[in-house]
Amino acid sequence: MFVLCFFKLLTLIAFLHAVAPIACLNFNYPQFDKKDYKTIHISQETSAVSGSAIQVTLDNSRDYALTNLSERAWYAKPFKLWRRGGGVDPIRASFNSTFVINISPFPGTTSVGEGLAFIVVANITVSENSDGKWLGIVNEKSNGSSQIVATEFDTVKSYPEDFDDNHIGLDVRSIYSTKQFSLNDSDVQLSNGKDIRVNVLYDGKNKNLSVFVAPNETTDFITKFSFFESIDLSSYLPGDVYVGFSASTGDQIELNCVKSWSFQGEGIGGRSLLWVWISVPVVALLILFFVVAFFLYRRKSRQEDPEGAYPNIKDHIRSSTAPRK
């Protein structure tokens, strides 16, 4: 019985270690290469890892037309964004996603279209007909209902609501941004082929999202604040989500590159689970100690008093071996 309990506890410990990684998510790619296909997944042949970057939409026209593409690239493992707590309010994780993007006209052209986005999404599958103005985020049918939140980097004024052709926006289940910020008065031009550094910060405790955008060479990056929005992501997304990028081209094309990416996601195991991590190993060791002590005590007792271990051994032999009359 003791041994069985011990091994059950060891199984529990192994299980807890196995499920722990989904609670937090941390990775860093200073640049990308072919080996990163193991952890960076792309939607289909018109995305690629090449030139030390993720080409969210294809960067050459040898095999495919570059117009009217919609693609995604994402980190393979899910992130635990929130979970149910003891009360009514869920426990939300915070995260920090920092990346360098480069959007440029296709060589030999001057016009661009359509844009790139950082996405937090339930289902990573690319929606059909999400090219052009949809940025690979949603399509006409799923617009307004898809479980996705995106920070868009839009290079075309596709809708009357768009500020201009050089803006960022927060898209909540829809391509129509709930928050926009024009970059025309800043030192950032999204589509001029220069590296742009972006920081997306979500504070799960206070339910707000901040976005910083600046030229990659900027030293005072933290001062390049773009926008702040109060938002509870648990109202729009499930507990387990994927993080990554979407991009599209339309009749006009552009190169949509992600050159580096780091992500730090907070674990939300909760303080209530702390006792599990402390007590389970302690209890397992105590049980092991008592099991060993018990068997050593039994062994010692038998060695010191063999007749005491079997007080009626003669009667037992006689009764079991004597012929019956």
Side-chain angles (χ1 to χ4, degrees):
M1 184 65 181
F2 289 102
V3 176
L4 180 62
C5 290
F6 173 69
F7 280 107
K8 283 184 176 179
L9 280 169
L10 286 182
T11 303
L12 175 61
I13 295 169
F15 172 76
L16 288 172
H17 278 285
V19 300
I22 68 169
C24 61
L25 190 66
N26 297 282
F27 56 82
N28 181 36
Y29 297 94
Q31 62 180 23
F32 298 92
D33 58 39
K34 297 294 185 182
K35 74 176 187 301
D36 294 325
Y37 279 125
K38 296 178 181 178
T39 51
I40 298 295
H41 291 182
I42 57 176
S43 52
Q44 53 188 347
E45 292 85 354
T46 47
S47 294
V49 174
S50 66
S52 300
I54 302 174
Q55 310 294 336
V56 187
T57 51
L58 205 60
D59 61 342
N60 67 74
S61 57
R62 289 177 297 179
D63 302 311
Y64 298 92
L66 300 184
T67 56
N68 302 306
L69 298 176
S70 59
E71 306 299 345
R72 289 180 180 177
W74 65 95
Y75 189 73
K77 294 182 180 180
F79 172 55
K80 179 65 73 175
L81 182 63
W82 63 273
R83 68 171 180 86
R84 295 292 179 189
V88 177
D89 206 31
I91 298 173
R92 306 171 190 84
S94 299
F95 65 78
N96 178 356
S97 183
T98 302
F99 46 92
V100 173
I101 61 174
N102 187 294
I103 303 174
S104 62
F106 190 75
T109 67
T110 55
S111 58
V112 293
E114 292 274 342
L116 175 71
F118 169 72
I119 58 175
V120 185
V121 62
N123 185 348
I124 207 63
T125 304
V126 181
S127 301
E128 293 184 3
N129 302 315
S130 59
D131 55 292
K133 62 185 180 181
W134 303 105
L135 303 183
I137 297 173
V138 293
N139 59 21
E140 186 173 7
K141 183 178 180 180
S142 63
N143 192 38
S145 61
S146 184
Q147 290 184 306
I148 186 170
V149 174
T151 303
E152 67 169 40
F153 306 90
D154 203 341
T155 60
V156 176
K157 182 176 170 60
S158 304
Y159 302 93
E161 297 83 3
D162 283 351
F163 282 177
D164 48 45
D165 60 358
N166 187 45
H167 70 272
I168 62 175
L170 178 64
D171 301 346
V172 181
R173 291 189 169 182
S174 169
I175 198 64
Y176 304 125
S177 301
T178 59
K179 187 85 172 183
Q180 290 187 66
F181 182 81
S182 174
L183 297 170
N184 281 342
D185 294 330
S186 72
D187 49 358
V188 172
Q189 179 67 39
L190 288 174
S191 59
N192 66 359
K194 293 185 178 181
D195 291 350
I196 299 167
R197 185 180 175 192
V198 181
N199 188 209
V200 178
L201 291 168
Y202 180 65
D203 183 344
K205 182 179 180 180
N206 296 304
K207 296 178 286 186
N208 60 65
L209 185 141
S210 305
V211 180
F212 301 80
V213 180
N216 190 41
E217 65 273 12
T218 299
T219 55
D220 57 341
F221 179 72
I222 199 65
T223 67
K224 302 298 182 179
F225 178 75
S226 294
F227 69 70
F228 171 95
E229 180 75 347
S230 295
I231 182 172
D232 180 2
L233 293 184
S234 68
S235 297
Y236 305 101
L237 295 165
D240 294 325
V241 295
Y242 291 90
V243 293
F245 301 90
S246 70
S248 72
T249 61
D251 293 335
Q252 306 299 327
I253 61 176
E254 65 187 27
L255 304 183
N256 294 299
C257 305
V258 179
K259 302 185 75 172
S260 66
W261 184 21
S262 67
F263 185 92
Q264 295 84 41
E266 176 189 28
I268 50 172
R271 292 182 180 179
S272 60
L273 291 180
L274 182 60
W275 69 271
V276 175
W277 292 102
I278 296 174
S279 63
V280 167
V282 171
V283 170
L285 288 173
L286 285 174
I287 290 176
L288 179 61
F289 171 79
F290 283 114
V291 167
V292 173
F294 174 76
F295 282 111
L296 289 175
Y297 172 77
R298 288 284 303 274
R299 182 179 178 183
K300 183 178 180 181
S301 298
R302 291 173 181 174
Q303 290 175 344
E304 292 179 351
D305 186 14
E307 290 194 4
Y310 303 97
N312 300 312
I313 187 167
K314 293 181 179 179
D315 293 338
H316 178 75
I317 295 173
R318 185 180 297 114
S319 62
S320 61
T321 61
R324 297 180 183 273
K325 294 183 178 179

